[in-house]
Amino acid sequence: MVVGGRKMRIPPLILLLLLLSASAAGMFTAQRDSGAFQAGLRLERALPTKGVRLDHLLARDRARHGRSLLGTSGVVDFPVEGSANPFTFGLYYTRVRLGNPARDYYVQIDTGSDVLWVTCSSCDGCPISSGLNIQLNFYEPDKSSTSTVLTCSDDRCTSALQTGEAVCPSGSSRHACSYSFQYGDGSGTAGYYVYDTIYFDTITGDQQSLNSSAQIVFGCSNSQSGDLTKSDKAVGGILGFGQNGLSVISQLSSAGVAPSVFSHCLSSSDSGGGILVLGEIVEPGIVYTPLVPSQPHYNINLESITVNGQALSIDSSVFTTTDTRGTIVDSGTTLAYLAEQAYGPFVNAIIASVSSSVRSISTSGGNECFVTSSSLDESFPSVTLNFKGSVSMSLKPENYLLQQGIDGDTIIWCIGFQNNKGSEITILGDLVLKDKIVVYDLANQRIGWRNYDCSQSVNVSTSSGRNQFLNTGQFNANGVSHMVCHKLLWTSIGFLFLFLFFL
């Protein structure tokens, strides 16, 4: 070092400490730049006090399945609240903050669609209040200083046109880039796309909370119809978690805010709850099967079904994925649906395998129902779904049975799997997925799962390989920077003692 034209000799001890300090600073800088920050949103669930009949659940699922699927690195945490009981009709929703100044919007979480849209102030036929005890705000793009309305000439609109996510009049490049989503029950929404800011609570490795944001494209709904107009279960929009480019998971991944993977674990306990994160849950025992490529849904290859260890006599072609058949994982579907050709063999095998303590009863709905004086595990057989890659998903009786009512002092249990009449599509909804970690790994095009107590904490990995620790209902990161600092401190002390010893 030269000071005032004279060379100064730095003592070895000072030089060593300077080198260690520079090393520590470099490690923290690398950690910060490679994504050791996590963004968090809070997920809640609406639970009206009245129960719901099976036909209402079926109608809800039919409406969901009629929807047309439009066509870094941090951990975004959605602490889940609510009950997993399918007869307590509820919606998974979260609060997102959009625009400048920022406002809150309650939007339904939906893995069956791709786009985030919120209700705009000019919306025709949209509810102004909700029976879910949430405030319905209306997005006003002209009052947000960071808002831009996408035009048909925008490259992002051109890309969305190719995937069917957008609509534009021919020869009108200055026209707003529009969309129109239709639902199987006749309800739907239409509007146009805007580009604005979404805000997150960012959690650093040492559990400090910072503000973070990203620019995303989302829909501004100015027209709604059907069930979307009803106030009893009204929300302020829908948050899509599909695979297309305009989905929130795709946009946040591209922006480096979140990895290209998300996971959930839905609890079946009376108190409900669970975990939903943008990140990969890495608990031991998770098995993976590949996603079927080039599909708009989360399709996986179901190969066979066994009941009490015996394979059902079902033609394997029933489960082959095409445009009109295959197996879909959909956490937004309440029940589970079997392709018509698979339903009969499945129900017959269950009936043939129940214990002598089980008594069949008839119901007005035509479902196969039972009462038993023994526990479910003692009364009903185990079921296993076998997938490509020699991996299986084990189902307990509560994963294929529904509590339908009471017969005297005993509970009436009905087969919860429904006959997807006239269809060769199998859908694995919440009935099957509850009490399981489910990982949607879009980067590696695979889905994984394992049975799990969803009231417990989980480990979550970002795409950079760092693990974070998540509690149910509470984001609690064991800070990477804290761990690095702790290890570096003791390493530095060790080097210092060695240096002094050899002086």
Side-chain angles (χ1 to χ4, degrees), residues 39-46 76-81 91-98 103-110 116-118 132 134-136 198-201 234-241 248 252 276-278:
L41 290 173
R42 181 171 181 77
L43 177 68
E44 302 174 32
R45 186 169 184 172
V76 180
D77 173 41
F78 300 83
V80 179
E81 298 177 1
L91 299 173
Y92 285 104
Y93 66 92
T94 190
R95 182 175 61 243
V96 296
R97 306 194 73 205
L98 301 170
R103 300 191 71 190
D104 293 338
Y105 303 89
Y106 292 91
V107 290
Q108 181 183 354
I109 300 296
D110 185 9
L116 164 63
W117 62 263
V118 295
L132 306 179
I134 57 176
Q135 177 67 42
L136 296 184
I198 183 171
Y199 299 89
F200 305 96
D201 293 328
V235 290
I238 290 180
L239 176 56
F241 270 94
V248 169
L252 295 184
L276 172 63
V277 295
L278 304 192

Side-chain angles (χ1 to χ4, degrees), residues 9-17 499 503:
R9 185 172 181 271
I10 302 175
L13 177 58
I14 300 299
L15 180 61
L16 176 62
L17 293 176
F499 180 80
L503 278 180

